Amino acid sequence: MPDDITCAKDTRDLLIDCCVEFIHLLASEANEICEKETKKTIAAEHVISALKALGFDGYLPEVEVVLQDHRTQQKVK
C-alpha cells in the first residue's frame, strides 16, 4: 500500500485478494482469446482484447501507452 494510505490489515488483505482475482480473470479471458486464435502464447493484444471483452475499457488508454513504451524500449535494445 502507498505510504499515504492507511487501512486495517483485513482491508489490505481484501484489496490484495481483489487484485489477484482481477489478474486471474484477465489472464483466463486472454488465454481463451489466445486459444481461439490457435496461438500458444498470450500476447499483449490478447490482454487488450480481454480488457475489452470484460468491459474494462477505461484501462485501455493507459495500457496502450505502457505497451507502446515497451515496444519502443525493445527496439532500442
Side-chain angles (χ1 to χ4, degrees):
M1 295 289 289
D3 291 334
D4 60 337
I5 296 176
T6 58
C7 62
K9 183 184 178 314
D10 58 335
T11 302
R12 181 186 59 87
D13 292 346
L14 182 60
L15 283 170
I16 291 170
D17 288 345
C18 288
C19 291
V20 169
E21 200 58 40
F22 175 76
I23 292 168
H24 286 163
L25 176 67
L26 186 59
S28 177
E29 185 68 23
N31 188 50
E32 285 184 29
I33 292 168
C34 180
E35 287 177 353
K36 285 179 188 173
E37 295 180 4
T38 63
K39 303 285 183 178
K40 294 187 181 218
T41 304
I42 297 173
E45 291 75 18
H46 298 128
V47 175
I48 290 171
S49 294
L51 285 168
K52 289 177 186 175
L54 294 169
F56 293 106
D57 296 341
Y59 290 105
L60 292 175
E62 193 170 338
V63 168
E64 289 171 352
V65 167
V66 170
L67 177 59
Q68 187 58 41
D69 288 347
H70 175 71
R71 287 182 175 160
T72 302
Q73 288 175 5
Q74 281 186 325
K75 287 179 185 178
V76 170
K77 290 181 181 179

